[in-house]
Amino acid sequence: MSKENRVFIISASDRYNFGDLLFNYIVDFFLSEYCKNKYEIIFTSLSGNDLQSVQGHKTVGLTKGLKRIGDGDVLIFAGGGVLGHKWAPMFLQAEGGKKIKKIKKLMPDWLFEGFIKLFYFKTKARYPYTRSINDFNKSVRVIYNSVGGGALNGMSSVETKRVLTRLKTASYISVRDQNIQNIISGIKSNLVPDSAILLSEKITKDELYSMAESNIKNILDQNYIILHFNKKISNRYFDEIQELITGIKNNFNFNIFLMPVNYIDNTDMEGMISHEKNRNCTVIKNKLKVFEICALIANSKLMIGSSLHTNIIACSYGVPHLGATHSVSKVNNFFKTWYPSDSVFNSYDLKKILEIIPNALDNKSEVKKNSERLKLVAIDNFNKINQIMEREANPPEK
């Protein structure tokens, strides 16, 4: 039987960035049964892709998907730092966009942006993931779920106003950190943790273990910690990372694994492999599936990483975790927003981390307590989203 309406779950899930592939699962897990019965769920991304082989979703592209939009439909922007991003930067990270990087060098950014919008996506919409109800000739609802917006940092006042104008038409907005809420302070929004914090509510550590290949299970059975650094940080802080790895090996009884989490290109792996000559650690060279990454984090004794979602998944499963350097603002903002200012759990300079580790390991109970608190806030966020979608009233008039 066909559903009465459609809900487009929209995220940057057409490229293999670990965190972005979690959002479709989380939204699907926490939509109410009423919503699932009423709405046909359409997983949607910028250009569409099939990442089921790595435990992602098969998604339809925005242009194709939104051709089906009708009165009473809902757009849920499912999470991630999507606010304010334009078409070209996001498309260049998608599978189809990798083929045209050479073209970008031939024209200025503004012209390339217009070329991508009009030629590839045949749209006049200014942003792919920041949409107004006025972008559509149908009566629809727009919902933003625990979103971030790195593109908003340093944005001109004119451009920020354009973003805010679009956000004003949303039925509901939740943002994942205080920094974003401050930037859009003229708009009503709810401050909630990144919804990936809820993964452990639906998938247990044992279930994650069962999803892993045998070679990954061999790691899961060990006493280990996980380190992650993107290539930029690996290059910039190469000597400090080497010292940290050696210091951990000399002072703690852990095996040390370096784990890539971003497979958009090969930069994460290159960053990890650059430390391979340090025989105190092992680089995980397998192309990991989404829930294998989660399993490796959830079963570790400690997570040290420059990735936001390695820290969030660690928090979800009650694993002590530390941000690697102060270089990644969204990681810093997570700790500032969701941990007390005097907490041991924070971002640290790499030279400081070694002396912090004992305190972090001793305060595992704080992570578990904070995890439960954050999950309650995130569940309440989905309760509000479900209430909006379950309303029998007509969508707002334009």
Side-chain angles (χ1 to χ4, degrees):
M1 184 176 70
S2 62
K3 302 292 179 71
E4 184 178 342
N5 288 109
R6 288 156 293 277
V7 53
F8 297 87
I9 300 177
I10 304 170
S11 64
S13 53
D14 51 356
R15 74 261 174 88
Y16 191 174
N17 185 37
F18 159 61
D20 290 319
L21 298 189
L22 294 172
F23 300 131
N24 287 337
Y25 286 103
I26 298 298
V27 175
D28 191 27
F29 284 152
F30 286 91
L31 283 181
S32 68
E33 287 305 312
Y34 174 91
C35 290
K36 290 180 180 179
N37 288 330
K38 179 177 179 179
Y39 295 95
E40 176 190 358
I41 293 175
I42 301 175
F43 295 110
T44 312
S45 63
L46 189 71
S47 53
N49 201 355
D50 188 352
L51 291 175
Q52 293 177 97
S53 63
V54 293
Q55 297 172 332
H57 282 77
K58 185 176 183 179
T59 58
V60 63
L62 270 175
T63 301
K64 181 179 179 181
L66 295 183
K67 283 181 179 179
R68 297 184 57 196
I69 203 163
D71 290 332
D73 289 353
V74 179
L75 285 73
I76 299 180
F77 292 91
V82 294
L83 293 182
H85 274 297
K86 293 188 176 180
W87 295 84
M90 302 301 289
F91 183 55
L92 287 172
Q93 294 183 356
E95 201 62 38
K98 294 177 184 178
K99 302 173 183 177
I100 62 165
K101 286 187 177 180
K102 291 182 180 179
I103 298 177
K104 183 180 185 302
K105 299 177 182 179
L106 303 177
M107 56 183 82
D109 289 347
W110 66 268
L111 183 58
F112 186 67
E113 173 72 12
F115 168 73
I116 294 300
K117 275 179 22 176
L118 297 175
F119 182 76
Y120 274 89
F121 294 101
K122 298 178 174 56
T123 181
K124 294 182 180 180
R126 190 169 186 85
Y127 312 101
Y129 297 122
T130 311
R131 304 299 282 265
S132 164
I133 62 173
N134 299 313
D135 290 342
F136 310 98
N137 60 3
K138 304 290 183 180
S139 293
V140 300
R141 294 184 186 276
V142 175
I143 292 171
Y144 294 91
N145 170 57
S146 65
V147 291
L152 300 180
N153 292 312
M155 184 178 278
S156 71
S157 58
V158 172
E159 199 71 31
T160 300
K161 186 176 180 180
R162 288 174 177 145
V163 171
L164 296 180
T165 298
R166 287 157 176 78
L167 293 178
K168 283 179 181 177
T169 70
S171 296
Y172 179 79
I173 301 171
S174 59
V175 295
R176 69 186 183 189
D177 63 56
Q178 189 65 62
N179 177 61
I180 298 302
Q181 191 170 51
N182 292 342
I183 292 174
I184 66 166
S185 59
I187 305 292
K188 182 181 178 181
S189 64
N190 292 270
L191 184 62
V192 306
D194 187 294
S195 59
I197 194 73
L198 289 171
L199 187 67
S200 60
E201 289 291 291
K202 294 295 182 179
I203 304 178
T204 67
K205 283 174 61 174
D206 288 343
E207 288 170 331
L208 288 175
Y209 183 95
S210 70
M211 296 180 192
E213 299 290 342
S214 58
N215 59 331
I216 302 303
K217 287 178 179 175
N218 290 338
I219 299 175
L220 300 178
D221 292 333
Q222 298 178 38
N223 188 44
Y224 68 94
I225 68 170
I226 293 289
L227 305 184
H228 167 268
F229 311 100
N230 62 37
K231 185 179 180 181
K232 185 176 180 180
I233 289 176
S234 290
N235 291 343
R236 182 177 177 184
Y237 299 101
F238 182 86
D239 292 338
E240 290 94 332
I241 292 172
Q242 289 286 300
E243 291 173 11
L244 175 61
I245 292 168
T246 301
I248 293 172
K249 192 64 178 179
N250 290 342
N251 290 278
F252 302 94
N253 187 31
F254 296 127
N255 293 328
I256 303 168
F257 290 95
L258 275 59
M259 178 181 72
V261 300
N262 179 343
Y263 295 95
I264 294 173
D265 47 33
N266 207 36
T267 56
D268 244 25
M269 183 66 76
E270 289 172 0
M272 299 292 97
I273 289 177
S274 68
H275 298 285
E276 190 173 32
K277 291 181 181 179
N278 189 324
R279 297 183 180 276
N280 293 310
C281 67
T282 302
V283 178
I284 302 174
K285 295 181 180 178
N286 310 68
K287 186 173 183 178
L288 298 167
K289 297 178 182 178
V290 171
F291 293 120
E292 289 180 328
I293 295 173
C294 294
L296 285 160
I297 297 169
N299 286 277
S300 67
K301 303 301 181 185
L302 176 68
M303 176 72 230
I304 300 172
S306 63
S307 156
L308 173 62
H309 285 95
T310 60
N311 281 280
I312 289 173
I313 294 304
C315 183
S316 180
Y317 287 91
V319 174
H321 57 105
L322 302 170
T325 82
H326 294 282
S327 301
V328 185
S329 59
K330 60 185 176 181
V331 177
N332 300 336
N333 291 330
F334 168 73
F335 284 111
K336 288 178 183 177
T337 304
W338 299 111
Y339 274 97
S341 59
D342 61 350
S343 173
V344 65
F345 300 104
N346 210 326
S347 295
Y348 290 95
D349 292 335
L350 288 166
K351 290 183 177 180
K352 181 81 172 174
I353 286 180
L354 191 63
E355 67 181 77
I356 297 296
I357 289 175
N359 198 7
L361 294 172
D362 288 342
N363 282 277
K364 184 175 181 178
S365 60
E366 181 187 346
V367 181
K368 290 183 175 180
K369 182 178 179 181
N370 199 48
S371 177
E372 294 308 311
R373 179 178 69 88
L374 268 57
K375 289 175 193 174
L376 290 176
V377 179
I379 289 171
D380 182 62
N381 171 64
F382 275 105
N383 289 340
K384 291 173 181 174
I385 289 173
N386 283 317
Q387 287 169 9
I388 290 169
M389 293 179 64
E390 291 172 12
R391 286 176 189 162
E392 295 300 329
N394 292 324
E397 295 294 329
K398 296 182 182 179

